[in-house]
Amino acid sequence: MENPQEKNLDWKMPDQVMKLRKFKLRKVALQARINGTRVAEAKTPQPSSSNVSASQTASKKRKNPFAKNEVNKKPKNCTPDLESISGDSTFDLLSLDSSSIKKNEDLYNASAVVEDSILEQAKATAYVPVEEPKGNKYIPINWTLKTKLRLMSPKPFAWKGKLKASEEASGTTGFVRCLDIGEQETTLDTSPNARFHQCCLVWQHPSIPWMELFPRSQSKLNVVNDFVAMNQAMKDALYKDWCSSFRSLFHLLRVRQCPYFYVCGNNFTVLFRAAGICGISEVQALLTPSTRGLREALKNEEIQFTMPLKTKTRRKTAFELYDIKIVDDDDEHNDQWLKSVGIEESEIRRISFSQTKVQTGRECDVDNLHESLVFVTGVEAQALFNFLINCKTIMTNCGPYSGIPPTLLSPVAFHGSTLKPLRVRESTVCNGLEKFYSLELNGPILPDVLPSLCSLISCDQLEKFSVSCAQLTNTVAFTLAKHGVEVAEDNDDKKEKLPPNIFGLENLTDCGFNKKILEHFCNSDPERIQNFESLTCHNNLYTWT
C-alpha cells in the first residue's frame, strides 16, 4: 500500500513533470539532428511488415471510429506523452517516483552539455572568415612623364586599335573642343572607340617628322641634324616660333584655361601648373634636374626657389664647420682677425681657397639627382618663365639636337601646336593556359591619360585589369616632391592654409578637363600623389607599386 505522504509529496512537485517533458523533446531533437533525420520520423515508430499488411487489408474495410489503434500503442515502460495523456492517467503520471525524476534530471543536464558542445563545434567549423577587399577607390596622381603604357585584361576591351572614320573624327573633335562625348548630348559618335581615341591625343611643339623630340635620347637618334646646326637663319626661325608658342601656353596657364604643361629640354624638364591644381592657390613650377650653374643663374636673376627634396641634415666635418664660420662673417673682418693672431697672408689665401672648394663641392653633390629639384610659386614662376624664354643657352649648339628648342607638351591647344596621336598596338599575351588581351600606347603620355582610360574602362564594367608604365626617369622628382606643402610648412613666412577644392574647381572649369578628372587634380591631399610603375584594378579598387 502506498504511503499517502509520498503521494502528497509527489503531488506538490508538478514542475518536475514539466522538466521531464522538456528533457524528452530536447533529447529527440538532438538525436534527429545528429542522425540527420526529421523529428517527426524520430517520434513515430516504424511498423513491421505484418502490421503493414494487416493495415493494408484493414484499409479496404470500413473503419470503426470507436476502435483503438493497435499500431500507435506505446509500451508500458515508455514515458507517456503529455499530448496523448487522458484525464484518467494524469494522476498516474504525477505519482512518479522522485528518484526516477532525479535520474532524468541528471540525464537532462548531461544532454544539454553535449548539445551545447556540438553546437559550438558546428559553429566553429561553419565559420569562414571573409577577407575585406584591399585597395583604394581612387587612382593616385603621378606627375612623372611616361613613354609607354600597357593595359592588360583577361577579357577583351570594349575598344580596338583600328578605328572607323566616324570614330576617329568624333574622338579628334571631342579632344580639340574639350568635350566629354560620353556625358554631354552631342551628335558625335559616342562609341568606346571614339572615346578611347580622345584619350590618345596630345598637343606638341615643335613637331619635326624625321626627329623624335620625346624623349630626347641622343643614343637612339640616327638622323644627322647638320642642316639645322649649320643654318643660323633656320635656328633663329625655330627659336622665334618656339617663343611665340611658349608665351601663348603660359598665358593660357595664367588665366586657368590650361591645367599644366611640360617644357622638355635637353638637360632638364620644367612642369608648370595652374593655380588651383593640387590645392595651391598660385601658379607653381618645378624644374629637374638642376646643376649648380643653373641655380647660380637663377640666383643672379633674383629668382627665389626652394629645394624640397634636398636632405635637410648632413654630417659635417670639423674643417667644414670651421669654413662655414668664416663664410658667415665678413671676409675682410676674417682676414684681419687671422692676421691679428699671427697667420701669414699665404696661409689665409690657402684657407679661403680650401673653404670655397669645399662649399662648391657640397653644392654640386646633388647635381643631376632628384634632390636637385627646384620649386617656385607665385611671382617667382613668372620670373622663371621670363628666364627660360630669354635664355638662348636653353638650346644646345652641338649634337643631333643642335638648334632645336625644347619640346612643349600640353593637354590643350596653343599657338603653333601640333596634334599628335599616341601609337597604339593591340595584341594577345598567353601565360600558360591563361590568355590576356593587351593594348600598348607609345608616345608622350601625360598625367591625365591614365585616369581617363581607367574611367573609360569602369564604364565598360571590366572587373579586373592591370597597367604597367615606362617612366621618364629624370621626371620622377615631380611626383616625389608632392606639391610643395612641405616647403610651405618649413618657412614661417609662407605658412598658409590650402584653399578648399571648391575654389580650384570653379576657377578651372574651362581648363579642358571634365568634372571628375578636375576633382582628381585639384585634390590638396599630398598622399594622393604617388609614384608607381604598375597599377591593378579589381572590382573598382586600385592597388599600385
Side-chain angles (χ1 to χ4, degrees):
M1 181 174 180
E2 295 180 351
N3 190 359
Q5 294 181 356
E6 292 182 3
K7 275 191 173 182
N8 294 335
L9 181 63
D10 295 338
W11 178 256
K12 293 180 181 179
M13 298 175 62
D15 55 337
Q16 301 294 337
V17 179
M18 301 307 298
K19 285 185 179 180
L20 181 62
R21 170 63 179 164
K22 292 180 180 179
F23 163 70
K24 277 185 61 64
L25 294 178
R26 291 174 65 87
K27 183 178 179 181
V28 172
L30 180 61
Q31 187 67 26
R33 186 180 303 169
I34 295 176
N35 297 336
T37 59
R38 295 178 298 179
V39 177
E41 294 177 356
K43 285 184 178 179
T44 306
Q46 298 294 334
S48 62
S49 60
S50 61
N51 292 336
V52 171
S53 61
S55 63
Q56 289 178 354
T57 307
S59 63
K60 297 180 182 179
K61 300 179 181 181
R62 182 176 176 271
K63 293 183 179 180
N64 185 2
F66 299 99
K68 294 183 178 180
N69 190 357
E70 298 296 334
V71 178
N72 294 330
K73 284 185 177 181
K74 296 182 180 180
K76 295 181 179 180
N77 297 330
C78 181
T79 305
D81 194 350
L82 287 179
E83 295 178 356
S84 61
I85 294 176
S86 63
D88 297 336
S89 61
T90 304
F91 295 97
D92 297 336
L93 179 65
L94 294 177
S95 62
L96 292 173
D97 190 8
S98 61
S99 61
S100 62
I101 293 176
K102 187 174 181 181
K103 291 180 181 179
N104 290 332
E105 284 183 0
D106 297 337
L107 291 174
Y108 168 75
N109 295 331
S111 63
V113 173
V114 174
E115 181 182 2
D116 293 339
S117 63
I118 293 175
L119 291 176
E120 291 178 0
Q121 185 178 3
K123 290 181 180 179
T125 55
Y127 176 73
V128 177
V130 180
E131 295 183 0
E132 296 183 358
K134 298 180 180 179
N136 297 280
K137 295 183 179 180
Y138 64 89
I139 303 173
I141 304 174
N142 191 356
W143 292 107
T144 306
L145 283 173
K146 304 171 187 63
T147 58
K148 185 184 296 184
L149 187 145
R150 174 176 291 178
L151 298 166
M152 296 187 67
S153 172
K155 296 182 179 180
F157 296 98
W159 60 81
K160 298 183 180 298
K162 296 181 180 180
L163 304 174
K164 298 179 181 178
S166 61
E167 295 171 344
E168 182 178 355
S170 298
T172 303
T173 303
F175 180 76
V176 172
R177 298 180 183 177
C178 299
L179 300 176
D180 189 1
I181 60 178
E183 300 293 337
Q184 299 177 358
E185 295 183 0
T186 61
T187 58
L188 300 176
D189 189 346
T190 59
S191 63
N193 267 6
R195 298 173 63 189
F196 171 70
H197 181 63
Q198 183 179 0
C199 299
C200 301
L201 296 172
V202 64
W203 295 100
Q204 176 181 321
H205 179 86
S207 177
I208 303 175
W210 61 88
M211 295 187 66
E212 188 73 25
L213 298 181
F214 179 88
R216 297 203 173 189
S217 177
Q218 298 184 5
S219 60
K220 296 182 180 180
L221 189 63
N222 299 323
V223 179
V224 180
N225 193 26
D226 293 338
F227 69 97
V228 177
M230 302 300 294
N231 193 331
Q232 186 63 34
M234 187 175 293
K235 292 170 62 176
D236 294 341
L238 286 173
Y239 177 72
K240 183 179 180 180
D241 192 30
W242 179 83
C243 290
S244 176
S245 298
F246 189 20
R247 186 178 292 106
S248 170
L249 195 52
F250 187 75
H251 289 169
L252 288 171
L253 187 84
R254 287 184 59 191
V255 297
R256 299 184 179 92
Q257 294 181 10
C258 174
Y260 64 85
F261 68 88
Y262 288 84
V263 182
C264 304
N266 297 319
N267 301 318
F268 60 86
T269 306
V270 187
L271 168 61
F272 284 91
R273 299 190 299 217
I277 298 295
C278 295
I280 301 178
S281 59
E282 296 179 314
V283 178
Q284 66 248 220
L286 300 95
L287 184 150
T288 184
S290 67
T291 60
R292 176 179 173 273
L294 178 59
R295 295 191 293 271
E296 288 294 332
L298 295 177
K299 292 178 181 178
N300 294 335
E301 295 293 331
E302 297 182 354
I303 300 175
Q304 298 181 5
F305 60 87
T306 57
M307 301 176 68
L309 298 181
K310 188 176 180 180
T311 306
K312 298 177 182 179
T313 59
R314 179 176 178 269
R315 296 185 62 182
K316 302 173 183 178
T317 62
F319 181 72
E320 289 178 336
L321 292 172
Y322 176 72
D323 288 339
I324 291 173
K325 181 180 178 181
I326 298 177
V327 173
D328 294 337
D329 299 330
D330 184 67
D331 293 339
E332 295 182 357
H333 177 73
N334 289 329
D335 293 343
Q336 294 177 359
W337 179 80
L338 291 174
K339 290 180 180 179
S340 63
V341 296
I343 299 178
E344 298 181 357
E345 186 174 354
S346 59
E347 187 67 18
I348 295 174
R349 288 196 300 267
R350 188 187 67 79
I351 293 174
S352 300
F353 176 76
S354 300
Q355 184 273 333
T356 305
K357 187 176 180 180
V358 170
Q359 184 181 4
T360 303
R362 188 167 55 249
E363 293 178 356
C364 295
D365 287 344
V366 297
D367 286 0
N368 298 317
L369 299 177
H370 296 328
E371 290 80 1
S372 66
L373 178 133
V374 172
F375 177 79
V376 296
T377 183
V379 295
E380 307 301 333
Q382 175 71 50
L384 179 62
F385 164 76
N386 295 333
F387 171 77
L388 294 175
I389 202 171
N390 295 320
C391 181
K392 291 189 177 182
T393 58
I394 199 172
M395 297 187 303
T396 182
N397 293 324
C398 60
Y401 293 104
S402 176
I404 306 298
T407 305
L408 303 177
L409 300 174
S410 170
V412 298
F414 57 95
H415 290 173
S417 60
T418 303
L419 185 61
K420 302 283 289 186
L422 301 177
R423 298 184 297 274
V424 180
R425 186 168 65 92
E426 186 178 6
S427 61
T428 56
V429 179
C430 295
N431 184 12
L433 299 177
E434 296 180 344
K435 182 180 180 181
F436 295 92
Y437 296 87
S438 173
L439 274 176
E440 186 176 302
L441 283 65
N442 288 274
I445 300 174
L446 300 183
D448 64 287
V449 174
L450 181 58
S452 301
L453 289 176
C454 291
S455 177
L456 181 58
I457 294 175
S458 62
C459 294
D460 298 330
Q461 299 181 352
L462 205 62
E463 295 181 356
K464 186 176 181 180
F465 65 91
S466 62
V467 182
S468 57
C469 310
Q471 300 181 346
L472 195 62
T473 307
N474 59 358
T475 62
V476 173
F478 292 147
T479 305
L480 299 179
K482 302 298 183 179
H483 48 68
V485 174
E486 296 86 355
V487 178
E489 291 178 353
D490 291 339
N491 300 329
D492 296 336
D493 298 336
K494 296 184 179 180
K495 276 187 178 180
E496 56 183 30
K497 294 183 179 179
L498 297 176
N501 293 341
I502 187 63
F503 296 109
L505 293 175
E506 291 297 328
N507 294 330
L508 291 167
T509 52
D510 297 328
C511 71
F513 286 166
N514 58 39
K515 185 177 181 180
K516 185 176 181 180
I517 300 297
L518 187 58
E519 289 178 354
H520 178 66
F521 282 93
C522 288
N523 196 294
S524 59
D525 186 6
E527 296 301 324
R528 286 288 190 101
I529 302 178
Q530 299 289 336
N531 182 50
F532 59 89
E533 294 184 354
S534 62
L535 181 140
T536 303
C537 177
H538 185 64
N539 293 331
N540 293 327
L541 293 177
Y542 298 94
T543 56
W544 54 85
T545 55

